[in-house]
Amino acid sequence: MPSPSAVSADPRATPLSPAGRPPAPRVTPVLAVLGGLAVLVAALAVASLFVGAGDTRPGRVLDFLLDRSGARADGQLHTVVATLRLPRTLAGLAIGAALGLAGALLQAATRNPLAETGLLGVNGGAALGVVVGISYFGVGSGFGYIPWALGGALAASLLVLLLAGAGRAGASPLRLVLAGAAMTFTVTGLINFIVLGSGKTYDEYRFWVLGSLSGVTSRSLTGVLPVLALGALAALPAIRPLSALALGDDAARALGHRPAVTRVVVAAAVTLLAAGSVALAGPLTFLGLVAGYVARRLMGPRTGAQLAASALVGAAVLLTADLAARVVIKPYETSVALVLALIGGPLLILMVRSRNVLLLGGPAAVSGGPGGRRAPARAHRGGDGGPDDSLVLRAGGLSMLVPRRGAAAVAGLAVLTAAALGLCVVLGSAVLTPSQALNALFGHGTHAAVLMVREFSLPRIVAGLLVGAALGVAGCLTQTMARNRLATPDFLGVNEGATFAVLLTVLGSSTATFGAWWSGPLGALLAAGTILLVAGRGGAQGYRVLIVGFAFAAVLRSLTELLLAKKDLDIAQAMFTWSVGSLNGRGYSSITALAIGLAVLLPAALLAGRRLRLLRFGEDVVTVLGTDPARTRLLVLAVATALAGLAVGVGGPIGFIALSAPVIAARIAGPARVPLVASALVGAVLVAVADTVGRTAAGDTEIPVGAIAGIVAGPFLLYVLLREQRT
């Protein structure tokens, strides 16, 4: 084999790149690829005009377009082609190109191939704007949604930019991600709060959120096109800075560019493109992700070519999805968002399984699960769970090391939990006074008061405590395993699997009674098994399981939204209330099942927690000590999944608890431990208190516990993650 010097000396040899490797072989010229994509888009646009859910023959459509045989005098044909299909096709071209371009811009600016337009909170802000317009201003048409959706999206993105640009860090990729996630949490809680109080609002919102091109008219398209054009023009000055930014922030500064300003410009362009698209067709996920990925594979590192290709690919993908939505269950239509999820989900999984994909600023950037962070230096001098802070308990030949701070934290939280139980009983009734409720708890007072407290209020509060405990432990296990604050059942697809399974049990029911609590853990375990299987080898120890879980959750969420849209309003609204997270009507039967499950799973969780502590020293050390890291992760995931499934089966997918309880517990118990017991107690208190607030804050109207949790989730997430990043 010739040496490198010999190869470089040969004039016929392939020249080496600066990294010492032969450059990638030149593929099809850029113009040829762009021309091929343009031809594909044109062919799909023609197909969109000729194919539909109705029975109009393609020959008659051609007669109309060519004005033959008096076709344009046919009123029905004019309605089908000119009023329905032509605006729909043009909207597919414009929205697909806009979202494809927005996805590529965002991926280039954040140097994250997994970024998509929902990252900036645009979809959530648009949805909140539509809900506000419907609920408080009587908006009730597709065209009427546009200014509200556009205003909500712009306001949410502006807040995200302000939050991400605060301080000396500038609008870094991580700060954009954190601010966008916090905004999404907050607006979701506000949407649930508003929608649950109005059946009319929910009836209109459940169809809009599916995403569709069917309601697009020439008037609405004309109103949104200037916004999309402005967003595309705003992206042009960012092409050269983005090319430099691909080399890193330091290299971009050396070339005379300002990375923070570039990201702000890109964020503004993405906001306009995504906001106009969401306002016109509803939230369409995965489109920017798919377009950016395909454009990079076709064009390589050329930023300008990537952006042009992503716009064409986005238009092609959306037209294809819209055609499929029209014909797959002809003569009816299905959700375009569901078709996009079915396309984008597998592609996202393919991306994270590829060796060529690097998740920049990913898990490590938001790492630090409870017990997974490196303890501060003072921890080893006592006071934070270090060796000097531990107490040795001996009984005969047995001994046990008990951390003083951890034990004191658990004792204090246990007292707080008991106090919360009493306060929730005393303050949780709108009919009884606190003294009457307290007397009824001990069997004194009228028969009606005793019945109300002991048979209705008390079991619900206890169910809330148990649900919160299960979510707290599940979140602590998954966060510690992945060393990632976002690695909770809420993000791993486990909650979505359990939710979809429970909803399936009432699919053919004429009521909205949820008695099949067992379907929650069953659906969660099936979802976790599928995620692990798809993630493949090593999926449980890297970011693969997180991204596969995200993709799986997106598909299931689209199916859930479609299921709710197909049910009668009363049943759908009751199902939606439960899908937000609600403890209404929970009795002693639910408590019994959940208590038995916790009694079995908590010892397994404590065993898994001890093994997780060893994993912090590295897999080699753990293997030498006789513990199999792969089996430990499987045990952790199985226990956490079963706990989350039980909680969802009883109380619905209550968000935020699995995320926040371990964080709070780690602050109290110290960073050197895996605070499973403390997380359980914190989660119990949070759910019980949130449920009591939801029952009493709005008078006669009850707010589900999931909505209360969602409203405070965003600010809390932003505070915790940005504080850790500064640290």
Side-chain angles (χ1 to χ4, degrees):
M1 180 180 294
S3 64
S5 59
V7 172
S8 61
D10 187 355
R12 296 169 299 175
T14 302
L16 295 177
S17 66
R21 296 187 300 271
R26 183 174 178 82
V27 294
T28 308
V30 172
L31 292 180
V33 174
L34 293 177
L37 289 175
V39 171
L40 175 62
V41 170
L44 290 170
V46 172
S48 178
L49 290 174
F50 282 84
V51 178
D55 296 326
T56 304
R57 293 182 292 106
R60 291 293 294 161
V61 176
L62 183 61
D63 290 340
F64 180 88
L65 294 176
L66 298 179
D67 195 13
R68 298 185 311 193
S69 305
R72 293 189 179 179
D74 187 339
Q76 182 179 359
L77 186 61
H78 184 277
T79 300
V80 170
V81 179
T83 305
L84 298 179
R85 291 186 184 177
L86 183 59
R88 185 169 186 164
T89 300
L90 294 177
L93 290 170
I95 294 172
L99 291 179
L101 178 60
L105 285 169
L106 199 55
Q107 291 164 16
T110 60
R111 299 197 302 275
N112 186 344
L114 303 176
E116 55 101 26
T117 52
L119 186 70
L120 296 181
V122 175
N123 291 355
L128 180 60
V130 169
V131 167
V132 170
I134 294 172
S135 182
Y136 299 111
F137 295 92
V139 177
S141 66
F143 182 78
Y145 296 155
I146 291 178
W148 293 97
L150 192 60
L154 292 174
S157 297
L158 179 61
L159 288 175
V160 169
L161 288 176
L162 290 176
L163 291 170
R168 290 179 293 179
S172 67
L174 177 60
R175 294 177 70 90
L176 282 171
V177 171
L178 299 183
M183 183 59 61
T184 300
F185 263 113
T186 304
V187 299
T188 300
L190 292 173
I191 288 171
N192 292 335
F193 179 80
I194 297 172
V195 166
L196 289 169
S198 171
K200 178 181 179 297
T201 302
Y202 172 68
D203 191 27
E204 296 188 30
Y205 170 74
R206 63 174 175 154
F207 293 105
W208 178 85
V209 78
L210 290 176
S212 176
L213 299 178
S214 61
V216 176
T217 63
S218 299
R219 181 186 177 194
S220 60
L221 181 61
T222 304
V224 170
L225 280 179
V227 178
L228 300 181
L230 184 60
L233 291 175
L236 293 179
I239 295 178
R240 291 189 63 185
L242 284 176
S243 300
L245 202 62
L247 304 174
D249 285 14
D250 293 336
R253 292 189 188 95
L255 293 173
H257 300 288
R258 300 172 64 183
V261 175
T262 301
R263 292 192 178 99
V264 171
V265 172
V266 168
V270 169
T271 296
L272 292 171
L273 292 168
S277 301
V278 174
L280 193 59
L284 301 175
T285 57
F286 281 118
L287 187 56
L289 179 72
V290 172
Y293 173 75
V294 175
R296 284 194 305 275
R297 295 298 298 266
L298 291 176
M299 297 301 175
R302 308 173 188 88
T303 302
Q306 280 184 15
L307 297 180
S310 64
L312 292 172
V313 171
V317 171
L318 184 55
L319 288 174
T320 302
D322 186 49
L323 284 169
R326 281 189 259 175
V327 302
V328 68
I329 55 174
K330 191 175 179 179
Y332 304 103
E333 290 192 19
T334 188
S335 167
V336 175
L338 175 59
V339 178
L340 287 174
L342 294 175
I343 296 174
L347 180 62
L348 181 59
I349 294 169
L350 177 66
M351 289 172 60
V352 298
R353 288 179 62 92
S354 172
R355 295 181 179 179
N356 297 325
V357 174
L358 177 62
L359 183 64
L360 297 176
V366 291
S367 63
R373 297 179 298 167
R374 180 177 297 175
R378 65 178 182 274
H380 299 285
R381 297 193 297 268
D384 279 324
D388 295 338
D389 185 48
S390 299
L391 176 66
V392 180
L393 301 180
R394 289 185 173 87
L398 301 177
S399 63
M400 182 172 59
L401 196 65
V402 178
R404 289 187 175 90
R405 176 173 173 177
V410 169
L413 288 172
V415 173
L416 179 62
T417 304
L421 173 61
L423 287 175
C424 290
V425 171
V426 170
L427 302 177
S429 176
V431 178
L432 303 176
T433 64
S435 60
Q436 289 175 333
L438 186 60
N439 290 331
L441 177 62
F442 294 99
H444 305 298
T446 64
H447 175 73
V450 173
L451 181 67
M452 182 180 298
V453 171
R454 287 191 169 185
E455 298 298 326
F456 295 101
S457 182
L458 183 60
R460 176 172 178 165
I461 295 170
V462 174
L465 292 172
L466 296 178
V467 166
L471 290 175
V473 175
C476 183
L477 287 174
T478 52
Q479 286 182 12
T480 306
M481 178 189 71
R483 286 177 290 179
N484 189 323
R485 291 291 189 210
L486 300 180
T488 66
D490 311 67
F491 290 85
L492 291 177
V494 173
N495 280 9
E496 297 293 342
T499 302
F500 188 67
V502 174
L503 292 179
L504 283 180
T505 62
V506 293
L507 184 60
S509 173
S510 59
T511 64
T513 302
F514 296 92
W517 61 266
W518 49 265
S519 58
L522 179 61
L525 289 171
L526 288 175
T530 304
I531 291 168
L532 280 179
L533 181 65
V534 174
R537 183 183 178 187
Q541 59 180 333
Y543 63 85
R544 278 189 189 179
V545 69
L546 303 179
I547 304 304
V548 172
F550 168 76
F552 195 67
V555 174
L556 289 177
R557 193 177 302 113
S558 297
L559 290 172
T560 300
E561 291 170 351
L562 183 62
L563 176 63
L564 293 176
K566 298 300 182 182
K567 300 292 286 186
D568 293 335
L569 177 59
D570 293 338
I571 298 176
Q573 191 169 13
M575 295 169 67
F576 177 74
T577 300
W578 178 87
S579 70
V580 171
S582 174
L583 295 171
N584 187 25
R586 300 304 176 262
Y588 287 108
S589 59
S590 301
I591 294 176
T592 303
L594 190 53
I596 293 174
L598 287 172
V600 174
L601 293 171
L602 282 181
L606 293 174
L607 174 63
R610 291 191 63 184
R611 294 185 178 182
L612 281 177
R613 290 184 61 195
L614 296 177
L615 283 178
R616 291 180 296 173
F617 298 101
E619 294 194 4
D620 295 337
V621 175
V622 173
T623 303
V624 170
L625 294 175
T627 301
D628 187 348
R631 289 184 179 179
T632 297
R633 293 190 181 95
L634 286 177
L635 173 63
V636 168
L637 202 56
V639 173
T641 299
L643 286 168
L646 274 173
V648 172
V650 173
I654 304 173
F656 166 66
I657 303 301
L659 174 72
S660 60
V663 176
I664 298 173
R667 301 282 182 188
I668 298 174
R673 304 285 172 179
V674 181
L676 290 172
V677 178
S679 298
L681 295 173
V682 172
V685 172
L686 290 177
V687 172
V689 172
D691 184 54
T692 301
V693 171
R695 280 190 291 159
T696 59
D700 296 335
T701 302
E702 179 175 322
I703 306 172
V705 59
I708 297 295
I711 291 174
V712 299
F716 180 85
L717 176 65
L718 185 67
Y719 165 75
V720 170
L721 295 181
L722 291 184
R723 185 177 187 277
E724 287 186 357
Q725 182 65 13
R726 288 196 301 268
T727 303

